[in-house]
Amino acid sequence: MKKMMLSLLLAVSVLLPGCSSHDTSSALVIKTSDPTTEAAPTETELLLKWAATTVPADAKLLYSASIGDSQTDFWLIYQQAETGCIRALHHEDKPTSNESSSMLPIQEDWEKQLNEPNVFTSLHSEQSGNPDWILLTSDPAMGQMNKRLYMSSDNGYIWSYIQDVSTIIDGYVTGVTFRDELTGWITAAQHGQQLVPLYRTTDGGKTWAAQPIPIPNDYNYGNVNPPEFQEGDLMNGTLDIEFVKENDQKTFHYVTNDGGETWEVK
């Protein structure tokens, strides 16, 4: 998945009260390209154009992405200004396409005050048949970070709260990856502990356990980046872990050919 964070020009508008409002009468105004240019619009320009006509002007854009190298399959996640409610929008431009727009069932006050670094996603094309996942985190305070996981099984029309994983996932989240409807990973950085924070679920996010990765000799701990799998080839994936010792750090590259059951240094 190709992620593109956008710097958007904001103007003032008024949202209807409550989490069901979706006011697009005052939208973001974005110049996407020189009108005299005849070149086909880029993927970024298409995404910007959709954002400009979809996201309310005073909303906070938290996440924007295209799926794969697509110029038609886009996601936006934004937070409404007055309510703090979070809306996830999915658009796929094809003959049988639909555009979904649904609120996440957030409950906690901290979820109403998010920024771009607080949103982690594992989003998939409609053709894959896999659910889509959003993990929200709070800013770290006193070494702690709140973490709540959401899932949609219908390409973003309805989002369900899965669970609070704050006490399960140790460290500061770096990403989330699901390779299918059951198997996924949440990764983190955890400074100063003999720990490699690579957490895996095999039951759709209901339970999580640290997946054992040996720490190389002389290193103290590892900071883990989310594993990557290509849609259509879910048995083969890659995983990067930065191992740290007192005056040095080194990134080790791991691969799997069994869907993440085991990882070996490349």
Side-chain angles (χ1 to χ4, degrees):
M1 180 180 60
K2 185 175 182 180
K3 176 180 177 182
M4 294 177 290
M5 302 311 302
L6 308 177
S7 296
L8 301 180
L9 177 64
L10 301 182
V12 176
S13 68
V14 178
L15 290 175
L16 298 174
C19 286
S20 61
S21 63
H22 185 206
D23 179 12
T24 58
S25 61
S26 178
L28 297 165
V29 179
I30 304 173
K31 182 178 179 181
T32 60
S33 63
D34 185 343
T36 63
T37 302
E38 295 183 359
T42 67
E43 185 178 335
T44 301
E45 288 173 338
L46 290 169
L47 182 54
L48 281 167
K49 182 179 179 181
W50 181 46
T53 58
T54 307
V55 179
D58 65 345
K60 182 190 296 183
L61 186 62
L62 299 174
Y63 180 89
S64 59
S66 64
I67 303 300
D69 296 323
S70 172
Q71 291 195 342
T72 59
D73 195 346
F74 298 137
W75 281 88
L76 299 174
I77 301 172
Y78 70 88
Q79 190 148 44
Q80 293 181 338
E82 291 187 355
T83 64
C85 298
I86 298 173
R87 187 180 289 274
L89 295 91
H90 181 210
H91 172 74
E92 190 169 8
D93 187 11
K94 63 178 185 177
T96 59
S97 70
N98 292 306
E99 183 171 299
S100 63
S101 174
S102 178
M103 292 290 185
L104 271 66
I106 62 173
Q107 297 292 328
E108 303 295 329
D109 288 340
W110 63 264
E111 293 179 286
K112 299 178 181 180
Q113 303 175 34
L114 299 181
N115 295 301
E116 290 177 5
N118 303 122
V119 179
F120 301 88
T121 68
S122 182
L123 305 173
H124 306 275
S125 67
E126 184 175 347
Q127 289 82 1
S128 75
N130 289 331
D132 300 296
W133 304 82
I134 296 176
L135 177 65
L136 303 180
T137 70
S138 66
D139 291 331
M142 302 295 291
Q144 302 296 317
M145 174 184 281
N146 295 312
K147 313 171 186 82
R148 286 166 62 90
L149 182 65
Y150 298 85
M151 184 270 288
S152 173
S153 59
D154 55 10
N155 301 112
Y157 278 90
I158 298 175
W159 288 92
S160 301
Y161 168 65
I162 301 302
Q163 70 162 323
D164 189 314
V165 295
S166 303
T167 60
I168 302 170
I169 308 302
D170 198 5
Y172 305 130
V173 171
T174 58
V176 57
T177 297
F178 273 81
R179 71 173 184 85
D180 56 33
E181 68 275 12
L182 296 177
T183 307
W185 291 262
I186 295 176
T187 58
Q190 175 59 285
H191 299 168
Q193 295 191 27
Q194 286 283 336
L195 176 68
V196 179
L198 174 65
Y199 294 90
R200 185 174 68 143
T201 180
T202 56
D203 57 9
K206 296 176 183 178
T207 61
W208 296 84
Q211 188 170 18
I213 298 287
I215 299 176
N217 291 338
D218 300 327
Y219 286 90
N220 299 325
Y221 60 89
N223 298 320
V224 189
N225 293 312
E228 296 184 1
F229 295 87
Q230 296 294 324
E231 289 193 7
D233 184 15
L234 298 181
M235 289 294 102
N236 293 290
T238 60
L239 172 69
D240 288 346
I241 303 177
E242 180 192 63
F243 287 100
V244 181
K245 55 185 175 183
E246 185 175 354
N247 296 312
D248 187 26
Q249 59 272 336
K250 180 179 179 181
T251 298
F252 288 72
H253 304 283
Y254 292 79
V255 296
T256 182
N257 58 16
D258 57 11
E261 287 290 327
T262 59
W263 297 93
E264 295 182 355
V265 176
K266 185 176 179 180

